[in-house]
């Protein structure tokens, strides 16, 4: 099996750009050259790797090759940087070194509460350009499988094949609302009927944390009216402004609880375990990022 770097780069470009024409433009070659490279790659592996749709999508066999392409790009970029003197064997400032692109995935609450300072330190230490794919922690593992990212914060306790998994701890969520909201919607306490009427703030329609919380508090599944606020900081603000009640990370809501802007609507919590998964590569950058992620999570997660 003779898999060329040229074929891998072309496959990644088609999937990134969506069409052969757009990929040709990004690679500065003709569309026919793109088509020929993909055919050569498919002949080399004996499999169809692309669905010729709009946008183009990878077959399961194509996803394997996309992962290889992403990993190769990282290792090649690190090797190129080492020849120029990055990271530890040269006195050149970080600003003078070539940037290494490193895509990762995370959930919004981790990014808002503990991960961003980790990424800031990583950028101070290395000439990198991290691209963050934000998705629900239950679905970020799919981005690893597809090859879109090289590492991810997930809630999946099983490692994706070819990946290493590190437990990070649990992010605790507390059900809170403003005192005015509680007085208006929950004056007699919690029961299924009250919770089915009281407005709830959800991140999006796939927000399983809120649905699990309300089901636990009600003792059964209920369908309350919901406002959708798809950003972690703004979600917190929406609850603090009284739009509805919601399950907010304890680390994020602590100050509002201390000064009375919000109160817990029940003595209950939900712990969501988080894991860091990354591809098994001999990548100093990926290993250093992992060390920073594990240490940063330990300071905040339970």
């Amino acid at each position: 099996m003779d898999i060329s770097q040229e074929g891998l780069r072309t496959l990644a470009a088609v999937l990134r750009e969506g069409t052969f024409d757009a990929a040709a433009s990004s690679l500065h070659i003709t569309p026919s050259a793109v088509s020929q490279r993909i055919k050569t790659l498919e002949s080399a592996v004996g499999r169809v790797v692309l669905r010729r749709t709009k946008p183009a999508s990878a077959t399961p066999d194509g996803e394997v090759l996309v992962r290889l392409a992403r990993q190769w790009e990282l290792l090649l970029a690190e090797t190129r940087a080492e020849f120029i003197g990055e990271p530890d064997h040269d006195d050149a400032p970080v600003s003078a070194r070539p940037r290494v692109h490193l895509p990762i995935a995370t959930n919004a609450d981790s990014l808002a509460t503990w991960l961003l300072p980790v990424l800031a330190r990583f950028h101070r230490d290395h000439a990198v350009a991290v691209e963050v794919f934000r998705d629900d922690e239950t679905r970020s593992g799919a981005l690893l499988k597809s090859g879109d990212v090289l590492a991810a914060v997930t809630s999946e306790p099983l490692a994706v094949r070819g990946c290493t998994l590190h437990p990070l701890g649990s992010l605790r969520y507390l059900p809170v609302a403003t005192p005015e909201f509680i007085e208006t919607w929950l004056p007699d306490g919690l029961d299924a009927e009250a919770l089915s009427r009281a407005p709830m703030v959800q991140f999006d329609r796939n927000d399983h944390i809120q649905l699990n919380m309300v089901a636990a508090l009600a003792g059964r599944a209920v369908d309350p009216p919901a406002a959708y606020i798809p950003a972690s900081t703004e979600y917190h603000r929406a609850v603090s402004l009284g739009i509805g009640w919601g399950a907010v990370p304890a680390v994020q809501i602590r100050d509002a609880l201390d000064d009375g802007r919000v109160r817990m609507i029940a003595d209950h919590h939900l712990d969501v375990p988080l894991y860091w998964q990354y591809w098994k590569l001999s990548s100093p950058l990926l290993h250093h990022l992992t060390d920073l992620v594990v240490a940063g999570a330990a300071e905040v997660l339970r």
Side-chain angles (χ1 to χ4, degrees):
M1 185 182 294
D2 185 15
I3 302 174
S4 70
Q5 179 192 349
E6 183 180 80
L8 292 175
R9 287 183 63 242
T10 304
L11 174 63
V14 171
L15 293 172
R16 182 180 64 250
E17 304 296 337
T19 66
F20 280 38
D21 287 347
S25 178
S26 72
L27 295 172
H28 306 293
I29 59 177
T30 65
S32 61
V34 170
S35 180
Q36 184 57 49
R37 288 183 183 182
I38 296 299
K39 289 178 181 178
T40 300
L41 180 62
E42 291 179 328
S43 295
V45 300
R47 309 283 179 86
V48 175
V49 300
L50 268 182
R51 299 185 184 94
R52 270 70 168 176
T53 55
K54 287 190 176 181
S57 61
T59 65
D61 294 313
E63 289 181 352
V64 174
L65 293 181
V66 173
R67 292 198 296 268
L68 177 60
R70 299 280 191 255
Q71 294 167 16
W72 174 254
E73 287 173 355
L74 173 63
L75 295 177
L76 185 63
E78 287 189 280
T79 301
R80 186 184 298 115
E82 284 189 20
F83 274 109
I84 299 175
E86 172 20 351
D88 297 320
H89 307 295
D90 190 72
D91 294 329
V94 170
S95 59
R97 303 169 190 166
R99 300 278 116 182
V100 176
H101 175 244
L102 206 160
I104 68 170
T106 184
N107 60 315
D109 287 337
S110 289
L111 188 63
T113 57
W114 64 270
L115 184 58
L116 198 57
V118 170
L119 298 181
R121 179 177 174 184
F122 187 54
H123 278 80
R124 287 194 298 270
D125 291 345
H126 296 282
V128 293
V130 173
E131 179 178 4
V132 177
F133 289 72
R134 191 186 66 183
D135 207 342
D136 185 88
E137 63 276 1
T138 63
R139 299 198 302 270
S140 54
L143 294 169
L144 277 171
K145 295 177 184 176
S146 67
D148 289 314
V149 301
L150 296 168
V153 176
T154 80
S155 62
E156 298 297 327
L158 298 178
V160 173
R161 185 177 180 181
C163 289
T164 297
L165 180 144
H166 284 286
L168 295 176
S170 295
L171 190 58
R172 173 160 290 186
Y173 289 80
L174 303 177
V176 298
T178 64
E180 295 78 12
F181 181 91
I182 295 172
E183 182 178 344
T184 300
W185 292 98
L186 305 168
D188 300 320
L190 298 183
D191 57 35
E193 183 177 353
L195 287 169
S196 67
R197 295 193 309 266
M200 179 176 64
V201 184
Q202 288 187 240
F203 188 86
D204 57 27
R205 294 184 182 275
N206 296 312
D207 188 354
H208 68 283
I209 293 174
Q210 310 303 322
L211 297 177
N212 290 343
M213 180 67 82
V214 70
L217 296 179
R220 60 178 174 84
V222 296
D223 186 24
Y228 296 95
I229 309 293
S232 183
T233 301
E234 287 72 16
Y235 179 95
H236 168 207
R237 289 188 62 210
V239 172
S240 297
L241 291 169
I243 291 177
W245 74 273
V248 181
V251 64
Q252 197 176 37
I253 203 70
R254 186 177 297 125
D255 289 344
L257 281 169
D258 289 345
D259 63 22
R261 281 178 288 148
V262 299
R263 297 204 315 253
M264 291 182 61
I265 64 173
D267 185 15
H268 186 78
H269 64 263
L270 181 66
D271 288 340
V272 176
L274 297 175
Y275 304 86
W276 175 250
Q277 294 201 50
Y278 63 96
W279 285 100
K280 295 177 181 177
L281 296 173
S282 297
S283 164
L285 283 178
L286 202 50
H287 291 160
H288 187 220
L289 177 58
T290 295
D291 291 341
L292 293 178
V293 165
V294 172
E299 295 178 2
V300 176
L301 303 184
R302 306 183 73 85

